[in-house]
Amino acid sequence: MFSIKNLLNEAEKEILLSKNTYELNLARSKFLGKNSYLNKIIKKMHLISLKDRSYVGKLINTIKYDITNIILKHKIRLEKKILERSITNEKIDITLPGRSISIGGLHPITSAITDINYFFHKLNFINIPGLEIEDNYHNFDALNIPINHPSRNPQDTFWLNKKILLRTQTSSIQIRYMKHKKPPVRIISFGKVYRKDYNTTHTPMFHQMEGLVIDYNINLLHLRNIIYEFLKFFFSEKKIVRFRMSYFPFTEPSMEIDIMNNNNWLEIIGCGMVHPKVLKNLNINTKIFSGFAFGLGIERLVMIRYNINDIRYFFKNDLRFLKQFK
Ligand code: DAH
Protein backbone atom coordinates (compact mmCIF):
# COMPACT_ATOMS: atom_id res chain seq x y z
CA MET A 1 0.00 0.00 0.00
CA PHE A 2 2.86 2.29 0.78
CA SER A 3 4.13 2.13 -2.76
CA ILE A 4 0.71 3.12 -4.17
CA LYS A 5 0.65 6.23 -2.03
CA ASN A 6 4.22 7.00 -2.91
CA LEU A 7 3.30 6.80 -6.54
CA LEU A 8 1.43 10.12 -6.41
CA ASN A 9 4.53 11.95 -5.20
CA GLU A 10 6.70 10.28 -7.77
CA ALA A 11 4.25 11.11 -10.56
CA GLU A 12 3.93 14.73 -9.46
CA LYS A 13 7.70 15.17 -9.44
CA GLU A 14 8.09 13.74 -12.91
CA ILE A 15 5.15 15.60 -14.38
CA LEU A 16 6.38 18.93 -13.07
CA LEU A 17 9.80 18.24 -14.54
CA SER A 18 8.50 17.81 -18.08
CA LYS A 19 9.46 20.79 -20.19
CA ASN A 20 7.14 20.35 -23.15
CA THR A 21 4.02 18.49 -24.25
CA TYR A 22 6.08 15.61 -25.60
CA GLU A 23 7.66 14.95 -22.20
CA LEU A 24 4.31 15.49 -20.52
CA ASN A 25 2.74 12.82 -22.72
CA LEU A 26 5.51 10.41 -21.81
CA ALA A 27 4.81 10.99 -18.12
CA ARG A 28 1.09 10.54 -18.70
CA SER A 29 1.51 7.15 -20.32
CA LYS A 30 4.03 6.10 -17.67
CA PHE A 31 1.60 6.78 -14.80
CA LEU A 32 -1.81 6.35 -16.38
CA GLY A 33 -1.19 4.33 -19.55
CA LYS A 34 -1.78 0.69 -20.34
CA ASN A 35 1.54 -0.48 -18.90
CA SER A 36 1.44 1.80 -15.88
CA TYR A 37 1.90 0.51 -12.36
CA LEU A 38 -1.68 1.49 -11.51
CA ASN A 39 -3.11 -0.45 -14.43
CA LYS A 40 -1.17 -3.52 -13.40
CA ILE A 41 -2.71 -3.37 -9.94
CA ILE A 42 -6.19 -2.95 -11.45
CA LYS A 43 -5.64 -6.08 -13.50
CA LYS A 44 -4.72 -8.01 -10.33
CA MET A 45 -7.61 -6.74 -8.18
CA HIS A 46 -9.15 -10.19 -8.06
CA LEU A 47 -6.13 -11.40 -6.05
CA ILE A 48 -6.74 -8.87 -3.30
CA SER A 49 -8.86 -10.06 -0.42
CA LEU A 50 -12.50 -8.94 -0.54
CA LYS A 51 -11.97 -7.00 2.67
CA ASP A 52 -9.27 -4.75 1.17
CA ARG A 53 -10.55 -4.60 -2.38
CA SER A 54 -12.89 -1.62 -2.07
CA TYR A 55 -10.31 0.36 -0.13
CA VAL A 56 -7.65 -0.28 -2.78
CA GLY A 57 -10.13 0.48 -5.56
CA LYS A 58 -11.06 3.85 -4.09
CA LEU A 59 -7.40 4.68 -3.46
CA ILE A 60 -6.47 3.93 -7.05
CA ASN A 61 -9.31 6.10 -8.37
CA THR A 62 -8.29 9.01 -6.16
CA ILE A 63 -4.67 8.76 -7.26
CA LYS A 64 -5.67 8.57 -10.92
CA TYR A 65 -7.87 11.63 -10.48
CA ASP A 66 -5.06 13.53 -8.74
CA ILE A 67 -2.48 12.60 -11.37
CA THR A 68 -4.85 13.69 -14.17
CA ASN A 69 -5.34 17.02 -12.45
CA ILE A 70 -1.63 17.58 -12.04
CA ILE A 71 -1.11 16.82 -15.72
CA LEU A 72 -3.86 19.24 -16.78
CA LYS A 73 -2.53 22.07 -14.65
CA HIS A 74 1.00 21.51 -15.89
CA LYS A 75 -0.24 21.47 -19.46
CA ILE A 76 -1.88 24.88 -19.01
CA ARG A 77 1.35 26.17 -17.44
CA LEU A 78 3.39 24.89 -20.39
CA GLU A 79 1.03 26.43 -22.96
CA LYS A 80 1.15 29.76 -21.19
CA LYS A 81 4.94 29.67 -21.27
CA ILE A 82 4.97 28.92 -25.01
CA LEU A 83 2.64 31.86 -25.62
CA GLU A 84 4.69 34.21 -23.46
CA ARG A 85 7.84 33.17 -25.25
CA SER A 86 6.35 33.81 -28.67
CA ILE A 87 5.00 37.19 -27.54
CA THR A 88 8.42 38.34 -26.35
CA ASN A 89 10.20 36.93 -29.40
CA GLU A 90 7.87 38.36 -32.04
CA LYS A 91 8.37 42.05 -32.27
CA ILE A 92 5.20 43.65 -33.56
CA ASP A 93 5.52 46.98 -35.25
CA ILE A 94 2.34 48.75 -34.21
CA THR A 95 3.15 51.70 -36.41
CA LEU A 96 2.62 49.64 -39.60
CA PRO A 97 -0.64 50.49 -41.39
CA GLY A 98 -3.29 47.79 -41.08
CA ARG A 99 -4.34 45.50 -43.88
CA SER A 100 -7.31 47.02 -45.63
CA ILE A 101 -10.13 44.83 -46.87
CA SER A 102 -10.94 45.66 -50.44
CA ILE A 103 -14.56 45.30 -51.41
CA GLY A 104 -15.34 43.76 -54.79
CA GLY A 105 -17.68 45.22 -57.37
CA LEU A 106 -19.91 43.94 -60.11
CA HIS A 107 -18.35 42.99 -63.43
CA PRO A 108 -19.36 45.59 -66.05
CA ILE A 109 -21.19 42.87 -68.00
CA THR A 110 -23.20 41.94 -64.92
CA SER A 111 -24.10 45.59 -64.25
CA ALA A 112 -25.17 46.00 -67.86
CA ILE A 113 -27.39 42.89 -67.65
CA THR A 114 -28.96 44.28 -64.47
CA ASP A 115 -29.66 47.63 -66.16
CA ILE A 116 -31.08 46.08 -69.31
CA ASN A 117 -33.27 43.75 -67.27
CA TYR A 118 -34.58 46.74 -65.30
CA PHE A 119 -35.63 48.55 -68.49
CA PHE A 120 -37.47 45.60 -70.00
CA HIS A 121 -38.98 44.52 -66.70
CA LYS A 122 -40.72 47.91 -66.54
CA LEU A 123 -42.27 47.15 -69.94
CA ASN A 124 -43.66 43.86 -68.58
CA PHE A 125 -41.15 41.56 -70.28
CA ILE A 126 -40.34 38.42 -68.31
CA ASN A 127 -36.78 37.19 -68.04
CA ILE A 128 -36.50 33.53 -69.06
CA PRO A 129 -33.45 31.34 -68.40
CA GLY A 130 -32.08 29.39 -71.37
CA LEU A 131 -29.74 26.47 -71.97
CA GLU A 132 -26.07 26.90 -72.90
CA ILE A 133 -25.92 23.36 -74.28
CA GLU A 134 -28.46 23.15 -77.07
CA ASP A 135 -29.48 20.77 -79.84
CA ASN A 136 -29.48 21.51 -83.53
CA TYR A 137 -33.28 21.66 -83.64
CA HIS A 138 -33.58 24.61 -81.22
CA ASN A 139 -30.38 26.40 -82.26
CA PHE A 140 -30.84 26.01 -86.04
CA ASP A 141 -33.66 23.91 -87.57
CA ALA A 142 -36.68 25.48 -85.87
CA LEU A 143 -35.22 28.93 -86.56
CA ASN A 144 -35.36 28.22 -90.29
CA ILE A 145 -31.56 28.12 -90.63
CA PRO A 146 -30.77 26.02 -93.74
CA ILE A 147 -28.84 22.79 -93.37
CA ASN A 148 -25.80 24.15 -95.26
CA HIS A 149 -25.69 27.53 -93.48
CA PRO A 150 -22.08 28.50 -92.59
CA SER A 151 -22.95 28.98 -88.89
CA ARG A 152 -23.48 25.20 -88.63
CA ASN A 153 -19.92 24.63 -89.77
CA PRO A 154 -17.63 22.92 -87.19
CA GLN A 155 -15.08 25.64 -87.95
CA ASP A 156 -17.44 28.21 -86.47
CA THR A 157 -19.38 26.24 -83.88
CA PHE A 158 -18.46 24.12 -80.86
CA TRP A 159 -20.24 20.82 -81.53
CA LEU A 160 -20.28 18.34 -78.64
CA ASN A 161 -21.54 15.58 -80.93
CA LYS A 162 -23.52 15.47 -84.20
CA LYS A 163 -26.65 16.92 -82.61
CA ILE A 164 -25.56 18.76 -79.49
CA LEU A 165 -23.62 22.03 -79.40
CA LEU A 166 -22.73 25.05 -77.28
CA ARG A 167 -25.44 27.45 -78.43
CA THR A 168 -24.29 30.03 -80.95
CA GLN A 169 -27.14 32.45 -80.19
CA THR A 170 -29.76 33.07 -77.55
CA SER A 171 -32.42 32.93 -80.30
CA SER A 172 -32.98 29.26 -79.37
CA ILE A 173 -34.96 30.52 -76.36
CA GLN A 174 -37.68 31.69 -78.77
CA ILE A 175 -38.34 28.07 -79.68
CA ARG A 176 -37.87 26.58 -76.21
CA TYR A 177 -40.23 29.05 -74.62
CA MET A 178 -42.94 29.19 -77.28
CA LYS A 179 -43.19 25.39 -77.47
CA HIS A 180 -45.19 25.45 -74.24
CA LYS A 181 -46.80 28.88 -74.40
CA LYS A 182 -49.49 30.62 -76.35
CA PRO A 183 -49.28 34.26 -77.47
CA PRO A 184 -49.38 37.02 -76.41
CA VAL A 185 -45.83 36.86 -75.04
CA ARG A 186 -43.11 39.35 -74.12
CA ILE A 187 -39.90 37.72 -73.05
CA ILE A 188 -36.22 38.49 -72.74
CA SER A 189 -33.39 36.08 -72.02
CA PHE A 190 -29.75 36.72 -71.18
CA GLY A 191 -26.87 34.32 -71.49
CA LYS A 192 -23.56 33.15 -72.78
CA VAL A 193 -23.16 32.11 -76.40
CA TYR A 194 -20.20 30.42 -78.07
CA ARG A 195 -18.46 30.85 -81.42
CA LYS A 196 -14.98 30.02 -82.64
CA ASP A 197 -13.66 33.57 -82.95
CA TYR A 198 -10.89 35.50 -81.22
CA ASN A 199 -9.80 39.08 -81.95
CA THR A 200 -10.36 42.62 -80.66
CA THR A 201 -14.10 42.46 -81.29
CA HIS A 202 -14.77 38.72 -80.86
CA THR A 203 -14.23 36.17 -78.08
CA PRO A 204 -15.21 32.48 -78.18
CA MET A 205 -17.75 33.18 -75.44
CA PHE A 206 -19.78 36.34 -75.14
CA HIS A 207 -23.17 37.46 -73.85
CA GLN A 208 -26.35 38.09 -75.74
CA MET A 209 -29.81 39.18 -74.88
CA GLU A 210 -32.76 37.92 -76.82
CA GLY A 211 -36.12 39.65 -76.93
CA LEU A 212 -39.37 38.32 -78.33
CA VAL A 213 -42.81 39.88 -78.59
CA ILE A 214 -45.76 38.06 -80.16
CA ASP A 215 -49.16 39.66 -80.01
CA TYR A 216 -52.06 40.93 -82.10
CA ASN A 217 -51.11 43.51 -84.77
CA ILE A 218 -47.44 43.80 -83.92
CA ASN A 219 -45.47 45.79 -86.49
CA LEU A 220 -42.02 47.23 -87.15
CA LEU A 221 -42.85 50.53 -85.50
CA HIS A 222 -43.25 48.79 -82.14
CA LEU A 223 -39.81 47.28 -82.56
CA ARG A 224 -38.25 50.57 -83.59
CA ASN A 225 -39.73 52.50 -80.66
CA ILE A 226 -38.68 49.98 -78.05
CA ILE A 227 -35.12 49.88 -79.36
CA TYR A 228 -34.88 53.69 -79.50
CA GLU A 229 -36.14 54.07 -75.95
CA PHE A 230 -33.87 51.30 -74.73
CA LEU A 231 -30.73 52.85 -76.24
CA LYS A 232 -31.58 56.24 -74.76
CA PHE A 233 -32.00 54.60 -71.35
CA PHE A 234 -28.85 52.49 -71.56
CA PHE A 235 -26.47 55.24 -72.67
CA SER A 236 -28.23 58.06 -70.76
CA GLU A 237 -27.96 60.18 -73.92
CA LYS A 238 -29.29 60.21 -77.44
CA LYS A 239 -26.99 58.24 -79.73
CA ILE A 240 -26.97 58.40 -83.50
CA VAL A 241 -28.64 55.18 -84.57
CA ARG A 242 -29.35 53.64 -87.94
CA PHE A 243 -31.51 50.72 -89.00
CA ARG A 244 -29.94 48.81 -91.87
CA MET A 245 -31.67 46.13 -93.94
CA SER A 246 -30.09 42.74 -93.37
CA TYR A 247 -30.85 39.05 -93.48
CA PHE A 248 -31.55 36.48 -90.78
CA PRO A 249 -33.33 33.23 -91.65
CA PHE A 250 -35.70 33.58 -88.70
CA THR A 251 -36.95 37.12 -89.41
CA GLU A 252 -38.56 38.78 -92.42
CA PRO A 253 -37.86 41.61 -92.91
CA SER A 254 -34.55 41.57 -91.02
CA MET A 255 -32.50 44.52 -89.84
CA GLU A 256 -29.31 45.36 -88.07
CA ILE A 257 -29.01 48.38 -85.83
CA ASP A 258 -25.78 50.35 -85.80
CA ILE A 259 -24.64 53.04 -83.39
CA MET A 260 -22.29 55.85 -84.28
CA ASN A 261 -19.25 55.52 -82.06
CA ASN A 262 -15.98 57.45 -82.53
CA ASN A 263 -16.97 58.21 -86.13
CA ASN A 264 -17.61 54.52 -86.87
CA TRP A 265 -20.83 52.60 -87.22
CA LEU A 266 -20.84 49.72 -84.79
CA GLU A 267 -23.36 46.93 -85.20
CA ILE A 268 -25.05 46.08 -81.93
CA ILE A 269 -28.44 44.53 -82.57
CA GLY A 270 -29.95 42.06 -85.03
CA CYS A 271 -33.71 42.14 -85.28
CA GLY A 272 -36.79 41.79 -87.43
CA MET A 273 -40.33 40.52 -87.69
CA VAL A 274 -40.52 36.85 -86.73
CA HIS A 275 -40.52 34.76 -89.92
CA PRO A 276 -43.88 33.07 -90.69
CA LYS A 277 -42.05 29.73 -91.00
CA VAL A 278 -40.80 30.06 -87.41
CA LEU A 279 -44.31 30.95 -86.22
CA LYS A 280 -45.64 27.90 -88.05
CA ASN A 281 -42.98 25.69 -86.42
CA LEU A 282 -44.46 26.93 -83.14
CA ASN A 283 -48.08 26.29 -84.21
CA ILE A 284 -48.95 29.97 -84.03
CA ASN A 285 -51.75 31.21 -86.25
CA THR A 286 -50.07 33.78 -88.49
CA LYS A 287 -53.41 35.27 -89.53
CA ILE A 288 -54.00 36.42 -85.97
CA PHE A 289 -50.54 36.92 -84.49
CA SER A 290 -47.32 38.56 -85.54
CA GLY A 291 -44.17 39.36 -83.63
CA PHE A 292 -40.75 40.87 -83.55
CA ALA A 293 -37.50 39.58 -82.14
CA PHE A 294 -34.12 41.09 -81.45
CA GLY A 295 -30.72 39.87 -80.33
CA LEU A 296 -28.22 42.17 -78.75
CA GLY A 297 -24.51 41.77 -78.04
CA ILE A 298 -23.95 42.85 -74.47
CA GLU A 299 -20.16 43.23 -74.66
CA ARG A 300 -20.56 45.58 -77.63
CA LEU A 301 -22.97 47.79 -75.70
CA VAL A 302 -20.63 47.96 -72.71
CA MET A 303 -17.67 48.73 -74.99
CA ILE A 304 -19.54 51.76 -76.32
CA ARG A 305 -20.73 52.76 -72.86
CA TYR A 306 -17.17 52.95 -71.49
CA ASN A 307 -15.17 53.48 -74.68
CA ILE A 308 -13.35 50.13 -74.43
CA ASN A 309 -11.52 49.17 -77.60
CA ASP A 310 -10.76 45.48 -77.03
CA ILE A 311 -13.45 42.97 -76.01
CA ARG A 312 -10.82 40.63 -74.53
CA TYR A 313 -10.34 42.93 -71.50
CA PHE A 314 -13.65 41.65 -70.12
CA PHE A 315 -12.32 38.16 -69.61
CA LYS A 316 -8.72 38.74 -68.52
CA ASN A 317 -9.51 39.11 -64.80
CA ASP A 318 -7.14 42.05 -64.68
CA LEU A 319 -8.02 43.95 -61.48
CA ARG A 320 -6.62 47.20 -62.87
CA PHE A 321 -9.29 47.01 -65.58
CA LEU A 322 -12.11 45.73 -63.38
CA LYS A 323 -11.59 48.23 -60.55
CA GLN A 324 -12.55 51.09 -62.86
CA PHE A 325 -16.17 49.98 -62.77
CA LYS A 326 -16.64 49.81 -59.00
N1 DAH B 1 -29.23 35.58 -83.26
C1 DAH B 1 -28.66 36.64 -84.08
C2 DAH B 1 -27.14 36.59 -83.94
O1 DAH B 1 -26.64 35.99 -83.02
C3 DAH B 1 -29.15 37.96 -83.64
C4 DAH B 1 -30.60 38.15 -83.93
C5 DAH B 1 -30.99 38.65 -85.15
C6 DAH B 1 -31.55 37.80 -82.99
C7 DAH B 1 -32.32 38.81 -85.45
C8 DAH B 1 -32.88 37.98 -83.28
C9 DAH B 1 -33.26 38.49 -84.52
O2 DAH B 1 -33.85 37.68 -82.41
O3 DAH B 1 -34.57 38.64 -84.77
O4 DAH B 1 -26.47 37.16 -84.74
Side-chain angles (χ1 to χ4, degrees), residues 23 81 88 103 121 125 158 172 177 201 222 239 254 282 297:
E23 288 179 11
K81 255 193 207 155
T88 42
I103 296 169
H121 178 74
F125 280 75
F158 294 97
S172 50
Y177 185 75
T201 45
H222 298 125
K239 290 270 181 195
S254 304
L282 295 168

Side-chain angles (χ1 to χ4, degrees), residues 59-181:
L59 185 63
I60 291 178
N61 277 343
T62 321
I63 294 179
K64 266 184 150 181
Y65 179 78
D66 290 346
I67 295 181
T68 313
N69 261 341
I70 297 170
I71 291 176
L72 272 179
K73 279 188 191 144
H74 193 59
K75 193 174 171 216
I76 293 171
R77 229 174 282 137
L78 283 178
E79 282 169 351
K80 212 171 141 197
K81 255 193 207 155
I82 293 173
L83 187 68
E84 277 166 3
R85 211 175 302 145
S86 73
I87 288 175
T88 42
N89 286 351
E90 276 171 28
K91 295 208 172 55
I92 297 171
D93 180 357
I94 55 163
T95 62
L96 273 178
R99 265 184 224 139
S100 63
I101 300 170
S102 71
I103 296 169
L106 291 180
H107 192 282
I109 299 293
T110 312
S111 319
I113 289 176
T114 313
D115 293 348
I116 301 169
N117 189 36
Y118 174 83
F119 176 86
F120 284 98
H121 178 74
K122 291 223 150 193
L123 295 180
N124 278 342
F125 280 75
I126 15 176
N127 185 353
I128 306 295
L131 298 177
E132 280 176 43
I133 295 179
E134 264 298 0
D135 54 35
N136 50 2
Y137 176 75
H138 294 89
N139 197 88
F140 295 122
D141 299 346
L143 287 163
N144 195 33
I145 297 178
I147 213 84
N148 51 1
H149 193 273
S151 65
R152 297 197 189 224
N153 196 316
Q155 273 176 343
D156 294 325
T157 298
F158 294 97
W159 288 93
L160 302 181
N161 64 30
K162 279 192 177 150
K163 290 188 173 154
I164 310 289
L165 66 152
L166 296 180
R167 69 173 168 194
T168 61
Q169 49 182 355
T170 44
S171 301
S172 50
I173 194 68
Q174 298 186 22
I175 310 301
R176 283 222 172 260
Y177 185 75
M178 289 310 298
K179 260 197 321 194
H180 310 292
K181 294 279 186 254

Side-chain angles (χ1 to χ4, degrees), residues 168-171 174 195 208 210-211 248 250-251 270-272 293-295:
T168 61
Q169 49 182 355
T170 44
S171 301
Q174 298 186 22
R195 294 178 197 176
Q208 278 190 338
E210 193 73 15
F248 297 104
F250 35 93
T251 41
C271 57
F294 52 98

Side-chain angles (χ1 to χ4, degrees), residues 107-109 198-205 207 299 308-325:
H107 192 282
I109 299 293
Y198 192 64
N199 55 42
T200 53
T201 45
H202 296 88
T203 44
M205 183 282 293
H207 296 79
E299 279 78 359
I308 297 166
N309 55 15
D310 190 331
I311 191 174
R312 293 171 292 196
Y313 280 124
F314 289 124
F315 308 113
K316 279 191 174 154
N317 281 341
D318 184 339
L319 283 181
R320 288 168 306 177
F321 172 75
L322 294 172
K323 273 184 177 165
Q324 302 176 88
F325 307 100

Side-chain angles (χ1 to χ4, degrees), residues 20 51 56 94 96 170 189 258 263 285:
N20 49 42
K51 194 161 62 76
V56 176
I94 55 163
L96 273 178
T170 44
S189 185
D258 304 328
N263 285 331
N285 188 340

